[in-house]
Structure formats: C-alpha cells, structure tokens
C-alpha cells in the first residue's frame, strides 16, 4: 500500500470516551502533521512532527494528545472531547518541512 | 505571524470560462508556495508548487500560478475550466499556513 492511510475512517464517540486516531505513511517522509477541517472554517494545523520530534503545537486543547513513535506512524489520542470537536481530522506527511504535503483521506469524527 | 488570504470563498463559472483565484500571504522570509485541490469526496492533493526560479509555474490539469513577490501574491489561473474542476482550492505557504479555501463550482 502506498501513500498516507488513516484509520478509522469514521468514528462516533461520547464525551467521556477515550479513542485514538492512527496515521501511517509509506512514503519515507520525515515530517508528519495533524489538521482539523471543519465546515466553513480554514484548515487548522494542530501538530507538526519532524524526525519524530514535535516541533509545533498550535494551542491545541490538552484533550488532544499526539504521539509519533517512529517516522512512519502518527497517532492522535482523544479523551473527554466536546461536541465542537466534531470535524474531519486529516493527517499529512512531507519529505521535509516546507515541502509539499501528502494527505490522508481523513477520519470523520462525531462527538455525541 | 504568517498568514494566507484567499479572497474568494465561492466562485461559480460556466464551462470554458477563465479562472483566476486570488492568494496573498504575509511572511517576510523565504517562501515555498503551494496550491492544493480537494475534489468532492477525495483527498487533498497538490496542484502545483513554487520553490524558486521561474515565477510562472505550471501544474496538473492545465492549471498555472504566478508568484509576484512585490505583491505577496500567488494567484491560480486556468484559461478554460471544465465541469470536472469543481472542487475546493487551497493556497498554502511553507508547510503549515493554509488559506480558508475557495470553492469552485463549474456549471456544465
């Protein structure tokens, strides 16, 4: 399999649940990203990892916790989310920072 | 702080019309510039990019963009749009700053 994959594709969770989103890239890239895409809002950068080290955290609430165990995998751990966190969560990777990004299909998250 | 502005939120054109989508950025350093496209139900994908050299860059599907440094702009153009160009278009600066997107609807 090639490109950037994300699982699950759809997730419905209650406000007290704990879940994780997974992203895997098969491109040999060194940088990985989490974005939040909400209807009628700009794409919001959440986290950036470069060579498995977090290099940016854009004031994201602590109920979102990223993890990058190696250069191919990126997780987003979720706990005690709010309904306004419902959105499409996109993962992307790039060869290096500031290079073009390759996006996954996203996880459609609904918080009830 | 870096920022990217896309002036048009929704553009509606008829097939064969010419397209120009505006993108302005605010950043004082070296920039890499990108246009991404998201077709309905599909991934975001790269349309074209500018790193250096010729400021007029050509991308896939007949799209091009011109980097005008003095205007901090990187507008996207296509001389004749097709129905299949209906999508959302995002301008981006470096690896993290995306514009709000422009939704393009092409009527057959």
């Amino acid at each position: 399999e090639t490109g950037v994959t994300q699982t699950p594709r759809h997730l419905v969770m209650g406000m007290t649940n704990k879940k994780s989103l997974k992203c895997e890239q098969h491109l040999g890239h060194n940088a990985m990203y989490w974005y939040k895409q909400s209807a009628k809002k700009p794409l919001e950068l959440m986290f950036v990892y470069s060579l498995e080290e977090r290099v940016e955290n854009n004031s994201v609430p602590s109920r979102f916790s990223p993890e990058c165990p190696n250069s191919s995998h990126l997780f987003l751990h979720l706990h005690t989310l709010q309904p306004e966190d419902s959105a499409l969560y996109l993962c992307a990777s790039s060869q290096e920072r500031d290079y073009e990004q390759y996006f996954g299909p996203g996880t459609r998250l609904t918080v009830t | 702080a870096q920022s990217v502005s896309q002036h048009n939120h929704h553009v509606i054109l008829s097939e064969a019309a010419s397209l120009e989508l505006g993108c302005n950025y605010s950043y004082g350093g070296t920039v890499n510039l990108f246009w991404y496209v998201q077709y309905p139900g599909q991934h975001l994908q790269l349309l074209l990019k500018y790193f250096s050299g010729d400021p007029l860059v050509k991308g896939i599907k007949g799209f091009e963009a011109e980097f005008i440094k003095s205007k901090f702009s990187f507008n996207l153009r296509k001389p004749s749009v097709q129905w299949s160009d209906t999508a959302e278009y995002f301008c981006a600066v470096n690896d993290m700053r995306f514009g709000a997107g422009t939704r393009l609807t092409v009527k057959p």
Side-chain angles (χ1 to χ4, degrees):
Chain A
E1 194 172 354
T2 58
V4 181
T5 58
Q6 290 186 244
T7 54
R9 294 294 305 277
H10 300 272
L11 178 62
V12 179
M13 59 186 287
M15 289 165 53
T16 58
N17 291 160
K18 284 186 180 182
K19 295 286 185 184
S20 295
L21 309 185
K22 179 182 175 183
C23 175
E24 186 171 359
Q25 57 100 356
H26 309 270
L27 301 167
H29 289 169
N30 290 324
M32 295 187 77
Y33 312 78
W34 279 117
Y35 290 90
K36 177 182 179 183
Q37 188 176 32
S38 305
K40 301 182 181 178
K41 285 188 177 180
L43 204 58
E44 298 174 49
L45 177 70
M46 299 176 74
F47 301 103
V48 182
Y49 277 82
S50 179
L51 297 172
E52 301 154 44
E53 183 180 328
R54 191 191 308 180
V55 295
E56 181 144 339
N57 171 2
N58 276 0
S59 302
V60 179
S62 59
R63 56 187 185 268
F64 295 92
S65 174
E67 179 190 0
C68 187
N70 56 60
S71 60
S72 299
H73 293 87
L74 186 64
F75 294 90
L76 188 62
H77 303 299
L78 316 171
H79 64 98
T80 58
L81 294 191
Q82 304 298 311
E84 60 265 28
D85 296 323
S86 298
L88 183 67
Y89 287 84
L90 294 171
C91 174
S93 70
S94 63
Q95 180 64 45
E96 305 289 345
R97 290 194 60 196
D98 294 344
Y99 279 49
E100 63 266 36
Q101 295 181 42
Y102 293 75
F103 285 82
T107 295
R108 174 69 62 187
L109 173 67
T110 303
V111 181
T112 60
Chain B
Q2 297 181 44
S3 66
V4 181
S5 298
Q6 290 183 243
H7 318 296
N8 315 103
H9 296 293
H10 189 193
V11 172
I12 302 172
L13 296 172
S14 297
E15 275 195 315
S18 64
L19 170 73
E20 180 158 5
L21 301 183
C23 173
N24 286 89
Y25 63 92
S26 169
Y27 183 61
T30 302
V31 291
N32 294 336
L33 298 161
F34 308 89
W35 276 96
Y36 290 87
V37 61
Q38 189 172 29
Y39 297 104
Q42 294 190 27
H43 304 192
L44 266 162
Q45 57 186 285
L46 182 72
L47 199 56
L48 49 77
K49 64 186 178 187
Y50 171 82
F51 283 8
S52 64
D54 188 344
L56 184 63
V57 291
K58 307 239 181 242
I60 59 171
K61 303 188 181 184
F63 286 91
E64 64 179 32
E66 186 174 13
F67 170 50
I68 303 180
K69 189 175 181 179
S70 60
K71 294 185 178 180
F72 297 90
S73 70
F74 190 55
N75 291 355
L76 181 71
R77 299 196 292 249
K78 185 170 183 177
S80 176
V81 293
Q82 300 174 311
W83 176 79
S84 58
D85 293 324
T86 294
E88 186 134 19
Y89 294 81
F90 296 89
C91 180
V93 175
N94 295 342
D95 68 344
M96 296 181 291
R97 313 298 164 188
F98 278 75
T102 297
R103 186 154 61 99
L104 172 65
T105 301
V106 180
K107 295 184 174 179

